[in-house]
Amino acid sequence: MSRADKALELRKKGFNCCQCTVCAFAEELDADYKTVFKCAEALGAGMGGMEGLCGAVSGAAMVIGLKNSTANLENPNSKASSCQMSKELLAEFVKKNGSAVCKDLKGTETGKALRSCPDCIRDAVELTEKILNI
């Protein structure tokens, strides 16, 4: 089963878009599943249900940080590369979907959806894999 398929299975269980994305990578990140689930909880439906930045994109940025960070404040060399990878992720996501804003993707105000939540999750997972080469 692909990581994207795993993320979509989590969606069927009631995980929000951010949780689906981050939790699909938990093993790869050597991260505690329960902790990443909790960290991603408030980032669903565009952070706090406010339909801002897509939760799947937020989750993808979390994955990039968890995978790339040196966690060393004395030598924070990973910070710039994590930001660059997140910038690339966001640009590719917007290029593919027309937006990274939840309400635009779902068509809340326009009545015309650009992309479904499951498709956004799949895109975020696959772009993250591409950017991290995993």
Side-chain angles (χ1 to χ4, degrees):
M1 174 183 293
S2 74
R3 195 175 280 113
D5 289 338
K6 184 176 183 180
L8 293 174
E9 286 299 313
L10 297 174
R11 175 83 175 164
K12 290 176 187 175
K13 293 180 180 180
F15 287 44
N16 70 38
C17 296
C18 186
Q19 289 169 322
C20 292
T21 303
V22 178
C23 290
F25 285 91
E27 283 183 36
E28 175 74 29
L29 301 170
D30 195 29
D32 176 64
Y33 190 85
K34 198 172 184 180
T35 300
V36 295
F37 177 91
K38 288 178 179 182
C39 288
E41 189 165 77
L43 297 174
M47 189 181 286
M50 298 296 293
E51 295 187 309
L53 181 66
C54 170
V57 174
S58 296
M62 288 175 66
V63 170
I64 288 169
L66 286 164
K67 182 71 174 169
N68 188 62
S69 179
T70 61
N72 183 347
L73 293 175
E74 303 286 319
N75 184 14
N77 292 334
S78 63
K79 186 176 184 179
S81 63
S82 291
C83 286
Q84 182 57 41
M85 285 187 265
S86 292
K87 184 177 179 179
E88 181 183 341
L89 168 86
L90 183 59
E92 289 292 322
F93 189 91
V94 170
K95 182 179 176 183
K96 183 169 187 169
N97 297 299
S99 181
V101 176
C102 181
K103 68 181 174 184
D104 296 340
L105 293 162
K106 294 194 302 188
T108 302
E109 294 175 350
T110 64
K112 182 178 183 234
L114 298 175
R115 199 81 165 139
S116 70
C117 291
D119 287 336
C120 288
I121 293 166
R122 178 174 295 284
D123 292 345
V125 169
E126 290 174 352
L127 287 169
T128 303
E129 290 172 327
K130 177 183 166 194
I131 289 166
L132 291 173
N133 292 317
I134 54 175

